[in-house]
Amino acid sequence: MELPSSLLMFISSRHAEERIVAHLRAHGFDDLTLAQGRLAARVAEGGSRVTELAEAAQITKQTAGFLVNQLEKGGYVERVPDPTDARARLVRMAKRGRAAQACAREMELIVEREWEQRLGVRRMRALRESLENLREITDPYL
Amino acid sequence: MELPSSLLMFISSRHAEERIVAHLRAHGFDDLTLAQGRLAARVAEGGSRVTELAEAAQITKQTAGFLVNQLEKGGYVERVPDPTDARARLVRMAKRGRAAQACAREMELIVEREWEQRLGVRRMRALRESLENLREITDPYL
DNA sequence: CCATTTTAGTCAGTGACACTGACTATATGC
DNA sequence: GCATATAGTCAGTGTCACTGACTAAAATGG
């Protein structure tokens, strides 16, 4: 075994992440950091609580709160009171956040297509299937 | 596409990384951080220069130098003068570093075997081949 | 063979982002 | 209605990434 599979996965996933960040920067979302982006990607359609985001991203709620503040200042998300719980507030994507999301997905798709071209449709599908399969034993927040 | 392949790769690679860190901690290598470990993993058999390590890990040489200092304090690596270049010093694995390396490889292998059990030998081999293939277009420091 | 440029590495300063611990306010359960 | 759990914040700390400026040695090239 030259390199472990996990390291090979790390290499390619980081490559994709860097491409996405560069794409966002090039389109005016240059105040968005990697950590902020990772968290923003977890915000649900109807809004998410800070604590939920923290769990999903596997960071403490303090860190998540800090990142949400930055995202709020940047106009990417907004906070609204949670009607069902006076302690909580819901984090929702704002207009700029949705635009950034769309921008990120664009590059995500481009990379995905590049990989498919490299491997061919059959092997790309097999790759995705295996990765999804492994996720069931590797994703603690499935 | 439910989740992009790159994110699936990130999930599993992080899982493996966490297992390795936990294994190291459990065996007394509890002062070793993730960043230090990633750098230490790149130290070549005959020794490496700080600048080489920085390039391979894609960090600045200042950051690499800082991490090597920590590793040196922890007894994981040692620095010796480079006989071929008076400006440079070679970073070599020390005894404790080799022990930690062996410990990390242990868990690396365990995870690899778990994945193989999950996917079966055939699909695991196909996964590795595809990942190695993709590496050629995603690894800037191949 | 000396002047210029490149390269190895350090020092100093800053910023992002992770952590723990302590705290307030609200909700929930017996 | 009291004890406990939960949502979130505040304060403080540590790691690790960055840039910029620097020294010293090596390589290059008239």
Side-chain angles (χ1 to χ4, degrees):
Chain A
M1 181 177 58
E2 218 220 303
L3 286 185
S5 320
S6 52
L7 184 52
L8 292 169
M9 288 180 192
F10 177 73
I11 290 169
S12 288
S13 68
R14 181 169 59 175
H15 167 80
E17 207 167 48
E18 275 165 8
R19 293 275 298 277
I20 291 168
V21 168
H23 193 60
L24 284 165
R25 271 184 210 290
H27 286 77
F29 304 109
D30 53 338
D31 53 341
L32 201 55
T33 68
L34 199 49
Q36 288 167 30
R38 280 181 189 158
L39 199 70
R42 308 273 192 169
V43 174
E45 199 41 48
S48 306
R49 294 185 185 178
V50 167
T51 305
E52 288 172 355
L53 293 175
E55 273 181 15
Q58 295 179 64
I59 55 179
T60 60
K61 54 186 182 172
Q62 292 93 323
T63 302
F66 173 76
L67 292 173
V68 168
N69 278 339
Q70 316 258 109
L71 286 167
E72 200 177 11
K73 276 181 204 154
Y76 291 102
V77 302
E78 52 193 7
R79 286 201 240 220
V80 294
D82 185 335
T84 72
D85 192 333
R87 290 170 306 178
R89 282 188 296 166
L90 291 175
V91 178
R92 285 196 317 201
M93 291 310 283
K95 193 174 174 187
R96 188 161 184 231
R98 280 182 220 286
Q101 240 173 6
C103 185
R105 286 227 189 83
E106 246 175 57
M107 182 49 74
E108 229 168 61
L109 271 177
I110 289 172
V111 170
E112 199 86 9
R113 264 189 243 116
E114 281 177 10
W115 290 1
E116 187 166 278
Q117 272 194 350
R118 174 84 187 179
L119 296 179
V121 176
R122 263 174 57 92
R123 278 186 294 180
M124 185 65 187
R125 200 175 54 223
L127 175 66
R128 282 194 55 80
E129 276 166 15
S130 289
L131 289 171
E132 275 161 6
N133 192 332
L134 287 182
R135 185 186 172 201
E136 290 178 32
I137 57 172
T138 58
D139 189 347
Y141 287 91
L142 196 56
Chain B
M1 180 177 58
E2 218 219 302
L3 286 185
S5 321
S6 52
L7 184 52
L8 293 168
M9 288 181 192
F10 177 73
I11 290 170
S12 287
S13 68
R14 180 169 60 175
H15 167 80
E17 207 166 47
E18 276 166 7
R19 294 275 298 277
I20 291 169
V21 168
H23 194 60
L24 284 165
R25 271 184 210 291
H27 286 76
F29 304 108
D30 51 340
D31 54 339
L32 199 56
T33 67
L34 199 49
Q36 287 167 30
R38 280 180 189 158
L39 200 70
R42 309 272 191 169
V43 174
E45 198 41 49
S48 307
R49 294 183 184 179
V50 167
T51 305
E52 287 172 355
L53 292 174
E55 274 182 15
Q58 295 179 65
I59 54 179
T60 59
K61 55 187 181 172
Q62 292 94 321
T63 300
F66 174 76
L67 292 172
V68 168
N69 279 339
Q70 316 257 110
L71 286 167
E72 200 177 13
K73 278 179 203 153
Y76 292 101
V77 303
E78 53 192 7
R79 286 200 240 221
V80 294
D82 185 335
T84 72
D85 191 332
R87 291 169 305 177
R89 283 189 295 167
L90 290 175
V91 178
R92 284 195 319 202
M93 291 312 280
K95 194 174 175 187
R96 188 161 184 231
R98 279 181 221 286
Q101 239 174 8
C103 185
R105 287 227 189 83
E106 246 174 58
M107 182 49 73
E108 227 169 63
L109 270 178
I110 289 172
V111 170
E112 199 86 9
R113 264 190 241 114
E114 281 177 10
W115 290 1
E116 187 167 278
Q117 273 193 352
R118 172 85 187 178
L119 296 180
V121 176
R122 263 175 57 92
R123 278 186 294 180
M124 186 65 187
R125 200 176 53 224
L127 175 66
R128 282 194 55 80
E129 276 167 14
S130 288
L131 288 171
E132 275 162 5
N133 192 331
L134 287 182
R135 184 186 174 202
E136 290 178 32
I137 57 171
T138 58
D139 190 347
Y141 286 90
L142 197 55

